[in-house]
Amino acid sequence: MRGVRPGRAALVGGQDLTDGDGSRAEAPGRGRHRGRRRRGRKGEQTVVPEAEFTSYYGRPVLNQPAWQPLNIAGYFFLGGLAGAGSVLAAGAELTGRPVMARALKTSSAVAVAGSAAALIHDLGRPGRFVNMLRVFKPTSPMSVGSWLLSAYGPAAGVAALCDLRGTLPRVGRAATAGAALLGPSVATYTAVLAADTAVPGWHDGYRELPFVFVGSAATAASGMALAMSPTAENGPARSAALAGTALENAALKAMERRLGLVAEVYRDGPGGRWMRAAGALSAAGAAGAALLAGRSRVAAAASGLTLLAASACTRLGVFHAGLESSRDPKYTVLPQRARLRRHQAAGPDGTP
């Protein structure tokens, strides 16, 4: 090259792609091809092995989610606790367990208020939540979730208030039934919300993630019931603790098997640490609920608090795993390449 002036080279992506003297430098993040040629009957063909994967100039493929860990993980956890708690509260009321029913109604009302507060705090302004209620869009999990919270919150609040004050029993029963009907959707829609993003750790687990959240919500609600109820009334909570723990762990294992490469974020890094803590806590809490909670009030309370901590760790683990999968481009591009190869290898009818 002629007329090259040192220090005046063009910058591409903030980097100098020349060696400063006009000669071409190897661009960072560029795949290296080592090809060879062979001759065949139909002419010369180039056989080039697939390039080693790196991202464009080392930059992430996806924009990082702007969600704050404590806000959104708390939003996930408290919503699950509230929704599953309303279901258990209705069952406790129907089976003559007034202390458990009152405790779960109260905790559900407080939890849904905390969940909405965490969401609004992450949004930055309360007006943004109100703006989401201007329209109802069934294809948007955020729109559906906003309306769910708006309908469920008053029902849970009225159910708790009527029970605590001992007034308007018919209104209280109607509110309890309404909260119980909406509770499963409140507990699980956040999984659909996360899976509807482009984040590989959430999107690729769209089949199993709702079941993970259902199990985690049942674990949290049963933990609250064990911590707040006398031993004479905590039988359903012990059963729910075992069922929720089993469902959560089975769904996680199934999701990790299907995710393949992306499952690394649930085993390593911050997400892996939170998930291992959740597994240990849920095992300890379920064992305590099954073996000791029916005989000892102290053991029941300890098991309940352990289960609550396990559910919170699960939500934090899922959140951090998703963030990690969005940072590393390989979790976006390599699974796409694998799906493309499978599609190309399939026949016209979709079979290999």
Side-chain angles (χ1 to χ4, degrees), residues 93 98 101-103 105-106 158-167 172 176:
E93 188 170 272
R102 185 176 301 113
K105 290 177 186 179
T106 305
V158 169
L161 188 61
C162 290
D163 199 324
L164 289 172
R165 297 187 61 181
T167 57
T176 299

Side-chain angles (χ1 to χ4, degrees), residues 106-156:
T106 305
S107 65
S108 293
V110 173
V112 73
S115 179
L119 175 61
I120 292 171
H121 185 266
D122 194 76
L123 291 173
R125 296 198 309 267
R128 291 178 176 173
F129 181 82
V130 176
N131 287 338
M132 289 189 291
L133 302 177
R134 295 173 63 185
V135 295
F136 178 73
K137 189 176 181 181
T139 57
S140 169
M142 180 60 78
S143 176
V144 173
S146 300
W147 281 97
L148 271 174
L149 284 178
S150 300
Y152 170 81

Side-chain angles (χ1 to χ4, degrees), residues 59 151 188 347:
R59 296 180 181 273
T188 56

